[in-house]
């Protein structure tokens, strides 16, 4: 298991953007495995995603090819869906060392018991403020009439990441934890500055952002999180989102009304 390096949290600022109509409970629009969110992003590190579950949540694998270590991000897959990632793991001779979570909404955690059955000693990485959401998984699953494979989510060996932590996967991947609440009270993103990508969870989507009308969401926190990302993450960064296809900060600043409004707020505080 790789170490977590901790740093002091940075301040966030309030924005004026509000919730989008994309998220957990909307009608499904399935995307095929040929979309950007389902293709291998680069050879070194290995980064690949695949939509899983009834809400077509993008589950990702990021791996250090040199060290042969891999992290699975947002374990929402059934045993059958997880075969996509098992094939990649076997193909590249990888060892799964991290189960990273951006947040604990049911579509992002419903497959953790399946992942843990295959890799029983691998820690789950989740912000502590999302534990109430995590522990409400059974009720959430019942509300949406979806199954939790394995029945019960694991409660053991959970590492509570904090803002500013650096989660190292192998020798080449350093993922800085950005605390980005709003969609969930403990939502985080993982930023690999060296390789210029952001594992964004349900913060930023193509032309949209994560919902803030669900229980424990907070529109003001979402505003602050969007502004923080715009301040700290370079525009050329590739965003690997929790739903829909991959994008970049730069592209969203051209077409996403919520990020455009957020950048206006950033600029206004700089003048």
């Amino acid at each position: 298991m790789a170490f977590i390096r901790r740093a002091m949290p940075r301040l966030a600022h309030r924005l004026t953007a509000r919730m989008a109509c994309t998220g957990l409970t909307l009608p499904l629009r399935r995307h095929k495995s040929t979309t950007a969110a389902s293709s291998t992003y680069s050879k070194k590190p290995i980064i690949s995603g695949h939509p899983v579950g009834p809400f077509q949540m993008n589950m990702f694998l990021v791996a250090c090819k040199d060290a042969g270590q891999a992290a699975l991000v947002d374990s929402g897959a059934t045993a059958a869906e997880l075969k996509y990632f098992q094939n990649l793991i076997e193909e590249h001779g990888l060892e799964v060392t991290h189960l990273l979570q951006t947040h604990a909404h049911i579509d992002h955690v419903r497959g953790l018991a399946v992942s843990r059955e295959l890799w029983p000693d691998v820690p789950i990485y989740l912000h502590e403020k999302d534990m109430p959401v995590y522990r409400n998984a059974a009720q959430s699953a019942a509300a949406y009439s979806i199954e939790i494979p394995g029945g019960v989510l694991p409660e053991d060996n959970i590492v509570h990441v904090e803002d500013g932590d650096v989660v190292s996967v192998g020798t080449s991947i350093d993922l800085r934890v950005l605390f980005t609440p709003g969609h969930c009270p403990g939502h985080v993103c993982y930023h690999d500055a060296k390789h210029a990508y952001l594992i964004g969870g349900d913060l930023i989507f193509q032309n949209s952002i994560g919902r803030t009308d669900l229980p424990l969401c907070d529109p003001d926190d979402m505003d602050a999180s969007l502004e923080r990302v715009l301040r700290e993450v370079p525009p050329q960064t590739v965003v690997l989102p929790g739903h829909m296809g991959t994008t970049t900060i730069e592209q969203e600043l051209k077409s996403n009304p919520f990020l455009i409004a957020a950048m206006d707020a950033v600029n206004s505080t700089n003048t």
Side-chain angles (χ1 to χ4, degrees), residues 14 17-19 180-185 210-225:
R14 188 181 185 281
R18 282 293 181 263
M19 58 150 293
T180 51
H183 181 66
C184 255
R211 293 180 61 174
T212 58
D213 63 333
L214 300 170
L216 300 181
C217 292
D218 189 308
D220 291 337
D221 284 348
M222 174 64 87
D223 292 347
S225 294

Side-chain angles (χ1 to χ4, degrees), residues 147-251:
E147 176 191 4
I148 297 178
V152 180
L153 297 183
E155 287 270 359
D156 63 303
N157 201 7
I158 297 178
V159 176
H160 293 310
V161 295
E162 297 179 8
D163 186 58
D165 285 353
V166 177
V167 180
S168 296
V169 181
T171 56
S172 65
I173 299 175
D174 290 323
L175 298 170
R176 178 175 170 239
V177 177
L178 301 179
F179 180 49
T180 51
H183 181 66
C184 255
H187 191 287
V188 301
C189 298
Y190 297 93
H191 182 213
D192 184 344
K194 177 180 177 181
H195 299 104
Y197 65 89
L198 179 76
I199 299 170
D202 286 1
L203 181 69
I204 299 171
F205 302 139
Q206 290 177 334
N207 298 319
S208 192
I209 58 173
R211 293 180 61 174
T212 58
D213 63 333
L214 300 170
L216 300 181
C217 292
D218 189 308
D220 291 337
D221 284 348
M222 174 64 87
D223 292 347
S225 294
L226 291 171
E227 182 175 353
R228 180 191 182 180
V229 166
L230 292 180
R231 287 183 181 278
E232 298 184 21
V233 179
Q236 67 271 21
T237 301
V238 173
V239 178
L240 307 177
H243 300 272
M244 299 185 286
T246 56
T247 185
T248 65
I249 300 287
E250 185 175 40
Q251 177 57 44

Side-chain angles (χ1 to χ4, degrees), residues 118-159:
L118 290 171
W119 303 287
D121 299 323
V122 176
I124 296 166
Y125 294 76
L126 177 69
H127 198 284
E128 188 171 15
K129 287 189 175 181
D130 244 32
M131 288 304 296
V133 182
Y134 187 79
R135 293 187 175 121
N136 195 54
Q139 291 89 334
S140 295
Y144 296 114
S145 301
I146 60 178
E147 176 191 4
I148 297 178
V152 180
L153 297 183
E155 287 270 359
D156 63 303
N157 201 7
I158 297 178
V159 176

Side-chain angles (χ1 to χ4, degrees), residues 100-117:
L100 302 179
Q101 293 297 137
T102 61
H103 63 295
H105 276 160
I106 186 61
D107 53 333
H108 291 253
V109 301
R110 66 188 290 263
L112 273 170
V114 176
S115 295
R116 262 294 180 73
E117 185 175 354

